[in-house]
Amino acid sequence: GAAGAPGAPAAAQAREQPVLEPVLPAPAEEQNGTDSAKAPKVSCEERNTTGIERFTLQILNVSQDLMEFLNPNSSDCTLVLFYTPWCRFSASLAPHFNSLPRAFPTLRFLALDASQHSSLSTRFGTVAVPNILLFQGAKPMARFNHTDRTLETLKDFIFNQTGIEAKSDVAVTEEDWEGPLPSVQTRGVDWLLLFSVLFLAGFVLYGTVRTESIRWLIPGQEHEHQE
């Protein structure tokens, strides 16, 4: 099935993807050694899942602000993925990330196109993609730094940070390869740039035609240009 699709070698990923420093006020990681491995570093308030039928991630569009989806007054946790559609590592991570909400129904999962939210990327140091941050309320608490981005490593990361165990029967399915996060890498055509160029060309053409017509309307103007 599609689940066996080859990913890029970990060494290549490590080379292309510089591992960023932890985001964070999380010095507890280095200090306590074995103690911190037992106690969760982030104490997440788990959401009530009664009445929720589909556990899936939400992809923010260009006009939606991440901060509106994160409640600063709450201690619930959200895993946020910064990706771009033309990054092959984002594409290979997609099916694994798509399956996470079923593994952790009491947490929330969001994804956003970093190229559409550049101010956030700068703010949280997520210029390299894919980049995964664990937020508690509206505060980033930990960054996923593993170059092997699979359901298993993501589950371990969440468990190590929060102490919340993944549901054991969740695996990456055919549906996860289809969406919501795209697992097919798009070509790097910047449609917005292309549209801008075409619009500008049209505007210049319109301006030229318009100038020509004005030239004939102004008396005496045509004689100047005949010399």
Short mmCIF file of all heavy atoms in Angstrom, two decimals, residues 3-50:
data_model
loop_
_atom_site.label_atom_id
_atom_site.label_comp_id
_atom_site.label_asym_id
_atom_site.label_seq_id
_atom_site.Cartn_x
_atom_site.Cartn_y
_atom_site.Cartn_z
N ALA A 3 1.40 3.15 2.31
CA ALA A 3 2.10 3.39 3.57
C ALA A 3 3.56 3.01 3.48
O ALA A 3 4.37 3.45 4.25
CB ALA A 3 1.43 2.60 4.69
N GLY A 4 3.92 2.18 2.51
CA GLY A 4 5.31 1.78 2.40
C GLY A 4 6.12 2.70 1.51
O GLY A 4 7.23 2.37 1.12
N ALA A 5 5.59 3.86 1.16
CA ALA A 5 6.30 4.75 0.24
C ALA A 5 7.63 5.16 0.84
O ALA A 5 7.71 5.45 2.03
CB ALA A 5 5.45 5.99 -0.03
N PRO A 6 8.68 5.17 0.03
CA PRO A 6 10.00 5.44 0.60
C PRO A 6 10.13 6.89 1.05
O PRO A 6 9.67 7.80 0.38
CB PRO A 6 10.94 5.16 -0.58
CG PRO A 6 10.09 5.33 -1.79
CD PRO A 6 8.70 4.97 -1.40
N GLY A 7 10.73 7.11 2.21
CA GLY A 7 10.99 8.48 2.67
C GLY A 7 12.43 8.81 2.33
O GLY A 7 13.18 7.96 1.91
N ALA A 8 12.82 10.07 2.51
CA ALA A 8 14.20 10.44 2.23
C ALA A 8 15.09 9.87 3.32
O ALA A 8 14.65 9.73 4.46
CB ALA A 8 14.32 11.95 2.20
N PRO A 9 16.33 9.49 3.02
CA PRO A 9 17.21 8.95 4.06
C PRO A 9 17.39 9.97 5.17
O PRO A 9 17.45 11.17 4.92
CB PRO A 9 18.54 8.72 3.32
CG PRO A 9 18.25 8.89 1.88
CD PRO A 9 16.96 9.58 1.72
N ALA A 10 17.50 9.46 6.38
CA ALA A 10 17.60 10.36 7.54
C ALA A 10 18.83 11.26 7.43
O ALA A 10 18.79 12.43 7.80
CB ALA A 10 17.67 9.53 8.82
N ALA A 11 19.92 10.72 6.87
CA ALA A 11 21.14 11.52 6.77
C ALA A 11 20.92 12.73 5.87
O ALA A 11 21.34 13.85 6.17
CB ALA A 11 22.27 10.66 6.21
N ALA A 12 20.19 12.51 4.76
CA ALA A 12 19.91 13.61 3.84
C ALA A 12 19.03 14.64 4.51
O ALA A 12 19.20 15.84 4.35
CB ALA A 12 19.23 13.07 2.58
N GLN A 13 18.08 14.15 5.30
CA GLN A 13 17.18 15.08 6.00
C GLN A 13 17.98 15.92 6.98
O GLN A 13 17.81 17.12 7.08
CB GLN A 13 16.11 14.31 6.76
CG GLN A 13 15.10 13.65 5.85
CD GLN A 13 13.94 13.09 6.64
OE1 GLN A 13 13.98 13.03 7.86
NE2 GLN A 13 12.91 12.68 5.97
N ALA A 14 18.89 15.25 7.70
CA ALA A 14 19.66 15.97 8.71
C ALA A 14 20.53 17.03 8.04
O ALA A 14 20.72 18.11 8.56
CB ALA A 14 20.53 14.99 9.48
N ARG A 15 21.01 16.69 6.83
CA ARG A 15 21.89 17.61 6.13
C ARG A 15 21.11 18.84 5.66
O ARG A 15 21.54 19.96 5.79
CB ARG A 15 22.52 16.89 4.95
CG ARG A 15 23.80 17.54 4.47
CD ARG A 15 24.60 16.65 3.53
NE ARG A 15 23.79 16.12 2.43
CZ ARG A 15 23.50 14.83 2.29
NH1 ARG A 15 23.95 13.93 3.16
NH2 ARG A 15 22.78 14.40 1.27
N GLU A 16 19.91 18.58 5.09
CA GLU A 16 19.14 19.68 4.53
C GLU A 16 18.41 20.49 5.59
O GLU A 16 18.07 21.61 5.39
CB GLU A 16 18.10 19.13 3.54
CG GLU A 16 18.67 18.97 2.15
CD GLU A 16 17.58 18.72 1.14
OE1 GLU A 16 16.54 19.39 1.19
OE2 GLU A 16 17.77 17.82 0.34
N GLN A 17 18.18 19.85 6.72
CA GLN A 17 17.31 20.44 7.72
C GLN A 17 18.13 20.72 8.97
O GLN A 17 18.32 19.83 9.78
CB GLN A 17 16.22 19.41 8.04
CG GLN A 17 15.17 19.92 8.99
CD GLN A 17 14.22 20.82 8.28
OE1 GLN A 17 13.84 20.57 7.17
NE2 GLN A 17 13.82 21.88 8.90
N PRO A 18 18.69 21.90 9.13
CA PRO A 18 19.49 22.14 10.33
C PRO A 18 18.61 22.00 11.56
O PRO A 18 17.48 22.49 11.58
CB PRO A 18 19.95 23.59 10.15
CG PRO A 18 19.01 24.18 9.18
CD PRO A 18 18.52 23.08 8.31
N VAL A 19 19.11 21.29 12.56
CA VAL A 19 18.30 21.10 13.77
C VAL A 19 18.35 22.40 14.55
O VAL A 19 19.42 22.91 14.85
CB VAL A 19 18.86 19.94 14.61
CG1 VAL A 19 18.09 19.81 15.91
CG2 VAL A 19 18.79 18.65 13.82
N LEU A 20 17.17 22.96 14.82
CA LEU A 20 17.13 24.26 15.48
C LEU A 20 17.24 24.09 16.98
O LEU A 20 16.90 23.05 17.53
CB LEU A 20 15.81 24.96 15.12
CG LEU A 20 15.70 25.30 13.64
CD1 LEU A 20 14.26 25.60 13.29
CD2 LEU A 20 16.56 26.49 13.29
N GLU A 21 17.67 25.13 17.62
CA GLU A 21 17.77 25.10 19.08
C GLU A 21 16.37 24.96 19.66
O GLU A 21 15.42 25.42 19.08
CB GLU A 21 18.37 26.43 19.57
CG GLU A 21 19.85 26.55 19.31
CD GLU A 21 20.66 25.46 19.97
OE1 GLU A 21 20.49 25.27 21.19
OE2 GLU A 21 21.43 24.77 19.29
N PRO A 22 16.23 24.36 20.85
CA PRO A 22 14.90 24.28 21.45
C PRO A 22 14.39 25.69 21.60
O PRO A 22 15.16 26.57 21.90
CB PRO A 22 15.15 23.65 22.80
CG PRO A 22 16.44 22.97 22.68
CD PRO A 22 17.22 23.65 21.61
N VAL A 23 13.06 25.91 21.48
CA VAL A 23 12.45 27.23 21.38
C VAL A 23 12.55 27.87 22.71
O VAL A 23 11.76 27.76 23.32
CB VAL A 23 11.01 27.03 21.05
CG1 VAL A 23 10.07 27.06 22.09
CG2 VAL A 23 10.51 27.85 19.96
N LEU A 24 13.26 27.45 23.74
CA LEU A 24 12.33 27.56 24.78
C LEU A 24 12.77 27.74 26.15
O LEU A 24 13.81 27.26 26.54
CB LEU A 24 11.64 26.26 24.84
CG LEU A 24 11.13 26.05 23.51
CD1 LEU A 24 10.77 24.74 23.19
CD2 LEU A 24 10.40 27.12 23.07
N PRO A 25 11.86 28.24 26.86
CA PRO A 25 12.09 28.19 28.29
C PRO A 25 11.87 26.76 28.72
O PRO A 25 10.88 26.45 29.33
CB PRO A 25 11.01 29.10 28.85
CG PRO A 25 9.98 29.18 27.79
CD PRO A 25 10.62 28.89 26.51
N ALA A 26 12.75 25.83 28.31
CA ALA A 26 12.59 24.47 28.84
C ALA A 26 13.95 23.96 29.28
O ALA A 26 14.43 22.97 28.79
CB ALA A 26 11.99 23.55 27.79
N PRO A 27 14.60 24.69 30.21
CA PRO A 27 15.90 24.23 30.67
C PRO A 27 15.79 22.96 31.48
O PRO A 27 16.78 22.28 31.70
CB PRO A 27 16.42 25.38 31.52
CG PRO A 27 15.21 26.14 31.93
CD PRO A 27 14.17 25.91 30.87
N ALA A 28 14.58 22.63 31.94
CA ALA A 28 14.39 21.42 32.76
C ALA A 28 14.90 20.18 32.05
O ALA A 28 15.32 19.23 32.67
CB ALA A 28 12.91 21.26 33.08
N GLU A 29 14.88 20.22 30.71
CA GLU A 29 15.31 19.05 29.94
C GLU A 29 16.75 18.68 30.26
O GLU A 29 17.07 17.54 30.46
CB GLU A 29 15.19 19.34 28.43
CG GLU A 29 13.78 19.31 27.95
CD GLU A 29 13.70 19.32 26.44
OE1 GLU A 29 14.36 18.50 25.79
OE2 GLU A 29 12.98 20.17 25.91
N GLU A 30 17.63 19.70 30.28
CA GLU A 30 19.04 19.39 30.48
C GLU A 30 19.34 19.07 31.94
O GLU A 30 20.17 18.24 32.23
CB GLU A 30 19.92 20.57 30.03
CG GLU A 30 19.97 20.78 28.52
CD GLU A 30 18.78 21.52 28.00
OE1 GLU A 30 18.38 22.52 28.62
OE2 GLU A 30 18.22 21.08 26.98
N GLN A 31 18.67 19.77 32.86
CA GLN A 31 19.08 19.70 34.26
C GLN A 31 18.82 18.36 34.92
O GLN A 31 19.70 17.79 35.52
CB GLN A 31 18.37 20.79 35.06
CG GLN A 31 18.89 22.17 34.69
CD GLN A 31 18.02 23.26 35.28
OE1 GLN A 31 17.03 22.98 35.93
NE2 GLN A 31 18.39 24.51 35.05
N ASN A 32 17.60 17.87 34.81
CA ASN A 32 17.23 16.77 35.68
C ASN A 32 17.55 15.38 35.17
O ASN A 32 17.32 14.41 35.84
CB ASN A 32 15.72 16.80 35.97
CG ASN A 32 15.35 18.09 36.67
OD1 ASN A 32 16.22 18.77 37.18
ND2 ASN A 32 14.08 18.43 36.67
N GLY A 33 18.00 15.26 33.95
CA GLY A 33 18.37 13.95 33.44
C GLY A 33 17.25 12.95 33.59
O GLY A 33 16.21 13.09 33.00
N THR A 34 17.46 11.93 34.43
CA THR A 34 16.50 10.82 34.52
C THR A 34 15.17 11.25 35.10
O THR A 34 14.13 10.76 34.71
CB THR A 34 17.07 9.68 35.38
OG1 THR A 34 17.53 10.25 36.61
CG2 THR A 34 18.24 9.01 34.68
N ASP A 35 15.19 12.20 36.03
CA ASP A 35 13.92 12.63 36.66
C ASP A 35 12.97 13.21 35.62
O ASP A 35 11.78 12.92 35.62
CB ASP A 35 14.18 13.70 37.73
CG ASP A 35 14.95 13.11 38.90
OD1 ASP A 35 15.10 11.87 38.94
OD2 ASP A 35 15.41 13.89 39.74
N SER A 36 13.51 14.05 34.72
CA SER A 36 12.63 14.73 33.77
C SER A 36 12.04 13.74 32.77
O SER A 36 11.03 14.00 32.15
CB SER A 36 13.37 15.85 33.04
OG SER A 36 14.39 15.29 32.23
N ALA A 37 12.70 12.60 32.58
CA ALA A 37 12.17 11.61 31.64
C ALA A 37 10.89 10.99 32.20
O ALA A 37 10.02 10.57 31.47
CB ALA A 37 13.22 10.54 31.38
N LYS A 38 10.79 10.92 33.54
CA LYS A 38 9.61 10.29 34.16
C LYS A 38 8.45 11.28 34.24
O LYS A 38 7.34 10.96 33.91
CB LYS A 38 9.96 9.80 35.57
CG LYS A 38 10.96 8.65 35.56
CD LYS A 38 11.39 8.32 36.98
CE LYS A 38 12.62 7.41 36.96
NZ LYS A 38 13.27 7.37 38.26
N ALA A 39 8.76 12.49 34.71
CA ALA A 39 7.68 13.46 34.89
C ALA A 39 7.45 14.23 33.60
O ALA A 39 8.40 14.64 32.96
CB ALA A 39 8.06 14.43 36.00
N PRO A 40 6.16 14.41 33.20
CA PRO A 40 5.90 15.19 31.98
C PRO A 40 6.36 16.62 32.17
O PRO A 40 6.21 17.19 33.24
CB PRO A 40 4.39 15.10 31.81
CG PRO A 40 3.85 14.68 33.13
CD PRO A 40 4.93 13.90 33.81
N LYS A 41 6.92 17.18 31.12
CA LYS A 41 7.43 18.55 31.20
C LYS A 41 6.30 19.57 31.04
O LYS A 41 6.36 20.67 31.52
CB LYS A 41 8.48 18.77 30.11
CG LYS A 41 9.65 17.79 30.20
CD LYS A 41 10.57 17.92 29.01
CE LYS A 41 11.67 16.88 29.02
NZ LYS A 41 11.24 15.54 28.65
N VAL A 42 5.25 19.15 30.29
CA VAL A 42 4.14 20.05 30.04
C VAL A 42 2.87 19.39 30.58
O VAL A 42 2.54 18.28 30.17
CB VAL A 42 3.96 20.31 28.52
CG1 VAL A 42 2.86 21.33 28.28
CG2 VAL A 42 5.27 20.79 27.90
N SER A 43 2.21 20.07 31.49
CA SER A 43 1.00 19.49 32.06
C SER A 43 -0.21 19.98 31.27
O SER A 43 -0.69 21.09 31.48
CB SER A 43 0.89 19.90 33.54
OG SER A 43 -0.31 19.38 34.07
N CYS A 44 -0.68 19.14 30.35
CA CYS A 44 -1.74 19.56 29.44
C CYS A 44 -3.12 19.27 30.03
O CYS A 44 -3.36 18.19 30.55
CB CYS A 44 -1.63 18.80 28.12
SG CYS A 44 -0.13 19.15 27.22
N GLU A 45 -3.99 20.25 29.89
CA GLU A 45 -5.39 20.02 30.24
C GLU A 45 -6.03 19.31 29.05
O GLU A 45 -6.05 19.86 27.94
CB GLU A 45 -6.06 21.37 30.48
CG GLU A 45 -7.51 21.27 30.88
CD GLU A 45 -8.15 22.66 30.94
OE1 GLU A 45 -7.50 23.60 31.46
OE2 GLU A 45 -9.29 22.79 30.46
N GLU A 46 -6.49 18.09 29.26
CA GLU A 46 -7.02 17.31 28.13
C GLU A 46 -8.47 17.71 27.86
O GLU A 46 -9.26 17.86 28.78
CB GLU A 46 -6.91 15.81 28.44
CG GLU A 46 -5.46 15.38 28.64
CD GLU A 46 -5.30 13.87 28.81
OE1 GLU A 46 -5.77 13.14 27.92
OE2 GLU A 46 -4.75 13.45 29.83
N ARG A 47 -8.79 17.85 26.59
CA ARG A 47 -10.14 18.32 26.25
C ARG A 47 -11.15 17.18 26.33
O ARG A 47 -10.81 16.01 26.17
CB ARG A 47 -10.16 18.94 24.85
CG ARG A 47 -9.90 17.96 23.73
CD ARG A 47 -10.12 18.58 22.37
NE ARG A 47 -9.83 17.62 21.30
CZ ARG A 47 -10.10 17.83 20.03
NH1 ARG A 47 -10.65 18.95 19.64
NH2 ARG A 47 -9.81 16.92 19.12
N ASN A 48 -12.40 17.56 26.55
CA ASN A 48 -13.48 16.59 26.61
C ASN A 48 -13.83 16.17 25.18
O ASN A 48 -14.16 17.00 24.35
CB ASN A 48 -14.70 17.26 27.30
CG ASN A 48 -15.86 16.30 27.45
OD1 ASN A 48 -15.80 15.16 26.98
ND2 ASN A 48 -16.90 16.77 28.11
N THR A 49 -13.75 14.88 24.91
CA THR A 49 -13.96 14.42 23.53
C THR A 49 -15.39 13.92 23.28
O THR A 49 -15.69 13.43 22.20
CB THR A 49 -12.99 13.27 23.20
OG1 THR A 49 -13.20 12.21 24.14
CG2 THR A 49 -11.55 13.73 23.29
N THR A 50 -16.27 14.07 24.27
CA THR A 50 -17.65 13.61 24.09
C THR A 50 -18.31 14.35 22.93
O THR A 50 -18.23 15.57 22.83
CB THR A 50 -18.48 13.89 25.38
OG1 THR A 50 -17.72 13.43 26.48
CG2 THR A 50 -19.80 13.16 25.35
#
